Amino acid sequence: VYNVSEHGNWEHTNILWLPKGIKGCCEELKINEAELLGILKTCKQKLLFHRSKRIKPLLDDKILLGWNALMITACCKAYAATGEKDYLRLAENNIGFLENNLVAADGNWNHTWKAGQAKYPAFLDDYAYLIQAYIHLQEVTGNGAHLLSAKKLVDQVVTNFVDDETSFFWYTGSTQTDIIVRKKEVYDGAVPSGNAVLAENLFYLSVVFNIPAWKTQSFNMLESLSMAIIRHPTSFGIWGLLLQSIVKGINEIAITGIEAGELLKDVNKQYIPDKIIQSAVLGSDNFPLLEGKFANLNKSFIYLCRNYSCQKPVLTVEDLIMLLKN
């Protein structure tokens, strides 16, 4: 039934599985299903008895800042595409948990949380993914406070992680002393490298807050790896996406007015790569992309811009798509 053989069914080892299913085995063995299930119940009891003698695997149930931040970004993307509010609710509840439990007294973040206790200074990846999560939360909610949180975190990273001799960032902060040597990670593997995500974040936020120094640093990081990205793209996937965005140009999308929230949902349902998107019902002095776009608050407008130079605003998502195609 479970494909067990004397010589093993996988690399000289037996892995229990049902290649034919219960019904197929009954037909082959010429017995009814109740009889076969009774035999298998006895077999499972024997297996359970022997398994109970083995040392059980340990349970790793600590909560990691970086992995939760990646999940927040995933939830935001899922909400943007589907409009399912549970995804957004999960993302907002999660960022609230992280803010309430993983921030240290000095304002820096911790790497892990378990049983009511946060431990260990956060690494570069933690900060990079968290900044990215705040950016995506703003994109789906229009809440500018998330961008201010992201900006504050970038300031912390630049202060504590930057390598003064290059444009890149160390994996550990300047205050962490329990390490033999500081390292820098640039390869995108199972998860993106902290430097790659930070380069994306620096570029994005340099436009949002008009901070040329952050854009220059992002460009310098990208330029330092340009040949490696082209020659080995599968090892530098996130870097490659950033390079593509810069070469093609970034679509700066601003949505303003009384129906900005609903228009934001409709725009997010469209697949528009290489974009920076902000929305607001009322004006704000914090964000250059939104300045001067609130002349008529009784209507809602969508602006498509490049380098803060905007085309004539449109009223519908369909019109925005036409502008993008043109």
Side-chain angles (χ1 to χ4, degrees):
V1 173
Y2 290 109
N3 199 36
V4 173
S5 70
E6 186 175 348
H7 302 292
N9 60 25
W10 184 79
E11 294 187 358
H12 311 293
T13 301
N14 280 299
I15 304 297
L16 304 184
W17 70 300
L18 283 163
K20 299 178 182 178
I22 296 296
K23 186 176 180 180
C25 290
C26 289
E27 293 174 355
E28 183 176 310
L29 297 172
K30 294 182 172 54
I31 59 176
N32 61 54
E33 189 170 324
E35 185 179 358
L36 179 58
L37 291 176
I39 296 171
L40 294 180
K41 182 178 180 180
T42 303
C43 294
K44 290 178 181 179
Q45 290 172 344
K46 292 179 179 180
L47 283 172
L48 182 62
F49 173 75
H50 284 280
R51 191 176 71 174
S52 66
K53 297 179 181 179
R54 301 172 62 183
I55 298 174
K56 294 182 179 180
L58 297 175
L59 176 65
D60 184 358
D61 59 351
K62 61 182 178 292
I63 291 173
L64 301 180
L65 173 58
W67 288 10
N68 276 267
L70 285 172
M71 194 64 204
I72 290 172
T73 296
C75 287
C76 289
K77 289 183 177 182
Y79 170 69
T82 67
E84 289 288 341
K85 293 182 179 180
D86 284 344
Y87 294 131
L88 178 60
R89 189 177 301 114
L90 183 60
E92 292 182 323
N93 288 344
N94 191 238
I95 196 66
F97 174 87
L98 298 180
E99 291 172 339
N100 291 331
N101 293 282
L102 277 89
V103 182
D106 60 1
N108 292 313
W109 288 69
N110 288 299
H111 174 61
T112 70
W113 183 93
K114 180 178 177 178
Q117 186 175 7
K119 291 183 178 181
Y120 315 119
F123 299 108
L124 180 67
D125 289 7
D126 294 312
Y127 280 104
Y129 302 156
L130 183 59
I131 294 166
Q132 183 185 58
Y134 275 121
I135 288 172
H136 281 276
L137 277 167
Q138 183 279 148
E139 285 197 343
V140 296
T141 64
N143 185 353
H146 292 313
L147 289 177
L148 297 177
S149 296
K151 182 176 184 290
K152 180 180 178 181
L153 286 170
V154 170
D155 287 331
Q156 289 179 248
V157 172
V158 170
T159 299
N160 297 321
F161 288 82
V162 73
D163 177 10
D164 293 328
E165 297 181 1
T166 70
S167 298
F168 295 97
F169 296 87
W170 298 105
Y171 185 70
T172 50
S174 57
T175 59
Q176 191 165 343
T177 58
D178 58 342
I179 53 174
I180 299 174
V181 63
R182 296 178 82 185
K183 64 177 181 177
K184 292 191 289 284
E185 297 284 356
V186 297
Y187 294 101
D188 296 322
V191 294
S193 74
N195 271 288
V197 176
L198 260 177
E200 280 193 324
N201 295 339
L202 284 167
F203 179 77
Y204 190 105
L205 295 173
S206 74
V207 177
V208 168
F209 293 103
N210 193 17
I211 304 177
W214 286 2
K215 182 178 291 186
T216 299
Q217 184 165 6
S218 177
F219 283 5
N220 289 342
M221 295 169 73
L222 194 61
E223 186 177 19
S224 297
L225 292 172
S226 57
M227 294 309 299
I229 297 167
I230 294 169
R231 291 173 179 170
H232 310 286
T234 55
S235 297
F236 298 91
I238 302 302
W239 294 103
L241 289 173
L242 176 59
L243 177 60
Q244 177 178 272
S245 295
I246 291 172
V247 170
K248 292 181 64 178
I250 295 294
N251 296 304
E252 302 159 3
I253 300 173
I255 305 173
T256 62
I258 192 169
E259 298 293 334
E262 290 303 314
L263 277 176
L264 177 64
K265 293 178 184 177
D266 293 337
V267 172
N268 275 327
K269 288 180 181 178
Q270 308 296 318
Y271 177 63
I272 307 173
D274 308 318
K275 74 176 184 298
I276 292 172
I277 185 168
Q278 288 184 261
S279 66
V281 175
L282 300 174
S284 172
D285 296 330
N286 294 316
F287 308 113
L289 190 58
L290 296 177
E291 288 181 359
K293 297 179 174 66
F294 296 89
N296 188 345
L297 297 180
N298 294 320
K299 285 188 176 182
S300 295
F301 298 100
I302 306 173
Y303 295 81
L304 178 62
C305 315
R306 287 282 181 98
N307 298 317
Y308 308 115
S309 177
C310 303
Q311 299 187 45
K312 184 179 179 180
V314 295
L315 300 176
T316 67
V317 177
E318 291 74 19
D319 290 337
L320 171 64
I321 298 302
M322 290 301 299
L323 289 179
L324 289 166
K325 288 181 177 180
N326 293 331

